[in-house]
């Protein structure tokens, strides 16, 4: 396999992020961000989550450093963001997870400006991701959607390649096209991967058409943009977290599609969950994949950062899950191993949130649905269906080993 993320533009962006980390404005912003989040959450932060606040704020700010490194709309490049910290090609890359980042997504951004034309060239490598979306966003927080097109809506050549055109609406009309408006900031690409071991993000490149209207921005301007927008978007991300922490513990919301209102992918359905689990408690989250092209559940910390999916099994796609005979998926959320294949590991945390997503939902498919049952680990045998897939210690070790090997494809 050729890793499409291992390219000169990505390496240069990562170097720019490392350079920005030493900027005095970035260092000061990091302190201010932690102070603002701490003040906003106050005494509501669970005791177990308070020690995580510093790392959370660091990754939050890093996310905006990566966005700033991707923001030069006159000299665009794709930059991967929202990843846990990793090492590759002899360099350390800081973590940048925030805002309920999806463990199954390869997130990439490229700067876009209204009045400039762009051509995106793409190609399918190996197995195609389950769902791919291309979204024009109007803010650094990526919550304001202008237009989205998904992979199944694109015209592809026989070899799996395509061109996507971006302009202000004055160019020639075509199917593979996104139209900007004043205030556009990024092209935001999500490769949603159901099978980590085989599906590969698209190979992508972007070029501005016509002469550049400005010289490339430098580290100083990138740092200024990162600080400005990280501080400005803090209140938006505080709101996102409060959507989950405002739920009654040990409850989920009915599945619904927000069509992009308030952030998120406009074409997905979602169900939110909030949990407070004792050492022996178990929450059974049941859902119907409903024939969606992509369906998955993840856990996040109380601070709404993904729960270390690169170390523990804190997320499962429909493809990674055992499906019961009735076609439904039942996941057990617990602080210790309950002995079922579909265990969502809280990493010992008492307070966690869940995000259940469906993408590329079938128009003729069954309605999306989910339910929650609270029980104890000892009572699972009598609560779960007879055909539940159970595992012993060796099978669990093999499952986790395969998961980590599949994750390692992203950084190899």
């Amino acid at each position: 396999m050729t890793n499409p993320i291992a390219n000169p533009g990505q390496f240069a962006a990562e170097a720019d992020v490392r350079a920005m980390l030493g900027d005095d404005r970035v260092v000061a912003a990091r302190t201010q961000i932690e102070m603002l989040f701490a003040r906003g959450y106050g005494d509501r932060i669970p005791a177990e989550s308070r020690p995580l606040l510093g790392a959370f704020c660091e990754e939050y700010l890093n996310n905006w450093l990566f966005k700033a490194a991707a923001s030069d709309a006159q000299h665009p490049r794709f930059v991967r963001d929202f990843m846990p910290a990793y090492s590759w090609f002899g360099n350390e890359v800081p973590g940048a997870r925030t805002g309920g980042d999806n463990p199954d997504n390869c997130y990439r951004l490229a700067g876009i400006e209204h009045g400039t034309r762009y051509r995106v060239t793409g190609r399918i490598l190996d197995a195609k991701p389950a769902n791919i979306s291309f979204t024009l966003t109007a803010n650094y927080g990526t919550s304001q959607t202008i237009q989205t097109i998904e992979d199944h809506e694109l015209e592809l050549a026989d070899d799996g390649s395509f061109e996507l055109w971006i302009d202000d609406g004055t160019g020639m009309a075509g199917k593979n096209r996104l139209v900007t408006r004043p205030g556009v900031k990024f092209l935001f690409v999500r490769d949603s991967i159901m099978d980590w071991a085989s599906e590969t993000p698209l190979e992508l490149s972007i070029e501005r058409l016509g002469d550049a209207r400005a010289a490339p921005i430098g580290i100083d301007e990138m740092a200024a943009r990162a600080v400005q927008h990280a501080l400005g978007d803090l209140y938006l991300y505080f709101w996102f977290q409060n959507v989950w922490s405002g739920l009654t513990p040990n409850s989920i919301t009915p599945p619904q599609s927000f069509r992009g209102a308030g952030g998120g992918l406009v074409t997905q359905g979602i169900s939110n969950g909030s949990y407070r689990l004792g050492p022996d408690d178990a929450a059974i989250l049941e859902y119907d994949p409903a024939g969606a092209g992509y369906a998955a559940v993840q856990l996040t910390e109380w601070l709404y950062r993904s729960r270390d999916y690169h170390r523990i099994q804190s997320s499962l796609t429909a493809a990674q899950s055992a499906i019961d005979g009735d076609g439904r998926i039942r996941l057990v959320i617990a602080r210790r191993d309950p002995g079922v294949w579909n265990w969502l590991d809280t990493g010992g945390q008492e307070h966690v949130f869940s995000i259940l997503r469906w993408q590329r939902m079938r128009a003729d498919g069954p309605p999306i649905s989910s339910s929650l049952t609270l029980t104890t680990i000892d009572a699972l045998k009598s609560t779960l269906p007879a055909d539940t897939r159970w595992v012993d210690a060796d099978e669990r070790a093999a499952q986790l080993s395969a998961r980590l090997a599949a994750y390692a494809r992203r950084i190899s």
Side-chain angles (χ1 to χ4, degrees), residues 8-336:
Q10 179 69 27
F11 297 149
E14 291 169 357
D16 290 340
V17 168
R18 286 190 291 271
M20 281 186 273
L21 287 172
D23 188 287
D24 289 343
R25 293 165 296 176
V26 172
V27 173
R30 163 65 181 76
T31 301
Q32 186 177 0
I33 286 167
E34 183 167 357
M35 180 271 294
L36 289 170
F37 273 119
R39 184 175 182 184
Y41 293 135
D43 293 337
R44 293 188 300 120
I45 301 181
E48 66 179 6
S49 300
R50 193 169 294 277
L52 304 175
L53 182 61
F56 161 79
C57 292
E58 183 175 322
E59 289 206 48
Y60 170 88
L61 178 55
N62 291 345
N63 188 280
W64 271 254
L65 298 182
F66 278 99
K67 287 169 180 170
S71 68
D72 191 343
Q74 290 302 305
H75 304 272
R77 60 185 177 186
F78 279 111
V79 177
R80 181 170 63 181
D81 199 357
F82 293 92
M83 285 283 287
Y86 59 94
S87 301
W88 71 344
F89 299 96
N91 291 307
E92 299 295 321
V93 184
R97 295 170 295 160
T98 197
D101 54 293
N102 187 342
D104 308 315
N105 279 358
C106 172
Y107 293 98
R108 283 175 283 185
L109 299 111
I112 299 294
E113 185 174 346
H114 186 62
T116 299
R117 297 181 65 235
Y118 304 88
R119 177 171 58 203
V120 175
T121 302
R123 185 165 64 97
I124 296 172
L125 301 174
D126 306 315
K128 185 185 77 65
N131 181 239
I132 308 162
S133 60
F134 300 83
T135 299
L136 293 178
T137 69
N139 66 334
Y140 272 64
T142 65
S143 64
Q144 297 174 11
T145 294
I146 296 173
Q147 184 183 353
T148 292
I149 187 170
E150 297 191 357
D151 57 295
H152 62 276
E153 300 172 303
L154 293 173
E155 291 182 346
L156 304 177
D158 292 340
D159 64 355
S161 63
F162 63 92
E163 291 181 330
L164 175 64
W165 306 87
I166 303 173
D167 60 45
D168 60 4
T170 59
M172 297 216 19
K175 189 170 184 180
N176 293 6
R177 186 188 188 201
L178 290 169
V179 177
T180 64
R181 65 168 171 80
V184 64
K185 293 292 187 293
F186 292 109
L187 173 63
F188 189 26
V189 183
R190 298 174 177 90
D191 299 82
S192 298
I193 296 171
M194 283 262 275
D195 184 348
W196 294 6
S198 64
E199 296 174 24
T200 303
L202 293 180
E203 180 180 80
L204 290 177
S205 62
I206 184 169
E207 61 177 321
R208 179 205 66 254
L209 303 177
D211 295 334
R213 296 202 291 264
I217 66 172
I219 297 298
D220 184 75
E221 175 60 21
M222 289 182 202
R225 293 181 182 186
V227 168
Q228 174 191 349
H229 293 288
L231 291 172
D233 289 336
L234 184 146
Y235 310 99
L236 169 65
Y237 275 68
F238 178 77
W239 177 85
F240 279 138
Q241 192 278 346
N242 277 265
V243 169
W244 269 259
S245 63
L247 296 175
T248 301
N250 297 325
S251 70
I252 61 172
T253 62
Q256 54 190 309
S257 176
F258 295 100
R259 308 301 299 173
L265 181 61
V266 297
T267 57
Q268 76 178 359
I270 192 169
S271 174
N272 308 338
S274 174
Y275 308 87
R276 182 174 184 179
L277 301 173
D280 300 317
D281 291 336
I284 303 172
L285 178 56
E286 175 184 334
Y287 75 97
D288 187 345
Y294 167 87
V297 180
Q298 73 167 104
L299 299 182
T300 80
E301 302 168 346
W302 188 89
L303 291 163
Y304 201 42
R305 178 178 62 162
S306 61
R307 192 74 195 102
D308 285 354
Y309 60 88
H310 55 305
R311 296 190 181 97
I312 62 175
Q313 187 171 280
S314 60
S315 69
L316 284 170
T317 69
Q320 295 167 335
S321 303
I323 301 177
D324 293 330
D326 59 3
R328 298 180 72 82
I329 295 174
R330 293 169 177 87
L331 308 166
V332 176
I333 305 170
R335 291 167 61 178
R336 61 181 175 89

